[in-house]
Amino acid sequence: MASEFHNLQELCPSASLATKVFIQRDYSDGTSCKFHTKFPPELEGRIERPLLEETVKTLNGFYREAERISGHAYLEGCLACATAYIIYLCLDTRYEKVLKKISSYIQEQNEKIFAPRGLLITDPIERGMRVIEISVFEDGGSSGSSSSCSGSGSPAGGSTR
Amino acid sequence: MKNCEYQQIDPRALTSPTATPTSTLPLANKNVQRQRRKWEVFPGRNRFFCDGRIIVARQSGVLPLTLGLILITSGLFFIFDCPFLVANLTVFIPVIAGVLFVFVVFSLLHTSFTDPGILPRALPEEAADIEKQIDNSGSSSYRPPPRTKEILINDQVVKLKYCFTCKMFRPPRTSHCSLCDNCVERFDHHCPWVGNCVGKRNYRFFYTFIVSLSFLTSFIFGCVITHLTLRAQGGNGILSAVQQSPASIVELVVCFFSIWSILGLSGFHTYLVASNLTTNEDIKGSWSSKRGAEDYKNPYSYNNIFTNCCVVLCGPMPPSLIDRRGFLPADEIPPVITTEQELPPFMAKNDTNMEDTCQDFALSCTG
């Protein structure tokens, strides 16, 4: 998180953290990882509804893919059992591969969509997969309006397990 | 008075020789440069080895005893019983025993050393956001607002409880282990034999462990009985057979007492796997139809034994949510340094106060 904060500082040196908005998990389908697509009222005016909803829906899709119970997942599980689970020490699981995709997707979204609007999304894995944390930055120069930060910049940090 | 005869006292001269600011500064720099990993500041009651790669509960329980019993019994079997059985029966006996032994030991180590699915505690901002939501929902000012949340999962009402230690609403099937002081996802139980909690991430290892252990103990038991029987038939009866191979009696005793409990446990967990339940839910009777008039049904079950088994044992392996080997951000300096650095800021504050006081005094002197 500190590295992401510093990246936004590079993009827009006068930005300071104003507040954090949390999108909670949606447990209506059980324990599978899914986040509420309801638009948080605190972000009204900061970002267009469809953009945020699209981001959350895409993230939900990624997690659904990671947790999908398919023939491939069963094969991986059975192979792991047959090798007394030594294989987990050697190879990345399918879930971990999808997590890497999620990390690069969030980084891309931050650079293209969120940073120009003075927002920053934290990868849910860094918050125990409980929330999508959206940091709201205020431009130090203007009073309370959205900042005019450039979209390009160094990559935001998305840590793995 | 023309000149105030005062001398500004250098506060640094007042410090004890051992804790001068100049000497703490290089130490502080050194500590800041050495980045600490997150496992070093982990709040739960766990122990870490190999720089955060291995995690166990602080109380290792009887894990050394479990390992010792398995190693000793298997060792005695390979040394004292296998030669006779290979000579008189088949070479596959030690091969099968060897494969089972490898499965038992590897799955035991995996169960003990894997993160069971610990949920990291909520950060202050998240906890404050949840508190705000709780306060908003509780309209009554006479009672504290309720710390439970009801949600619908597959048309079944499930109550989520608030964890005061971890400062968050526990996800479904999550429970707080008081021994490890952590919230664990899909919490099954805390196993002292394994020295760790059994949860979402290591349940399959635990199940493999108890099933392979039941096979191993039954196999060793059967082989030892066969060995003693063959010796007794060939020699002068059972007593002489025992005298020729006393280690077999030790194995018999260990296996006899283990088989009852291990086989029973395997059977119980096979039932849990087939119905997609946890030990915690089964003991509490969360989804028992005997409770009340409402028909409580397990909302997580796929209502198909085969699917339940596949999902629980061969489903995707979730990642560890506690980033053990990640580095702490640079601005989170460990408390050790701040206590050493207490003197300089304190002195600095006094310094400015003293300067102001001196200036006032000077003004009053020149008056």
Side-chain angles (χ1 to χ4, degrees), chain A residues 27 73 81 85-86 129-130 161, chain B residues 103 110 120 126 153 171 208 323:
Chain A
Y27 294 114
C81 183
Y85 302 111
I86 300 169
M129 304 270 258
R130 280 193 308 269
R161 64 178 176 97
Chain B
F103 261 88
H110 254 109
E126 196 190 325
I153 298 178
T208 310
D323 183 22

Side-chain angles (χ1 to χ4, degrees), chain A residues 21-51:
Chain A
V21 178
F22 298 95
I23 297 180
Q24 301 284 342
R25 278 273 293 271
D26 177 11
Y27 294 114
S28 54
D29 282 343
T31 49
S32 53
C33 188
K34 207 170 101 170
F35 292 95
H36 280 293
T37 47
K38 196 168 75 88
F39 190 81
E42 296 93 337
L43 294 179
E44 205 74 54
R46 294 303 298 247
I47 186 168
E48 296 82 0
R49 267 181 199 245
L51 279 175

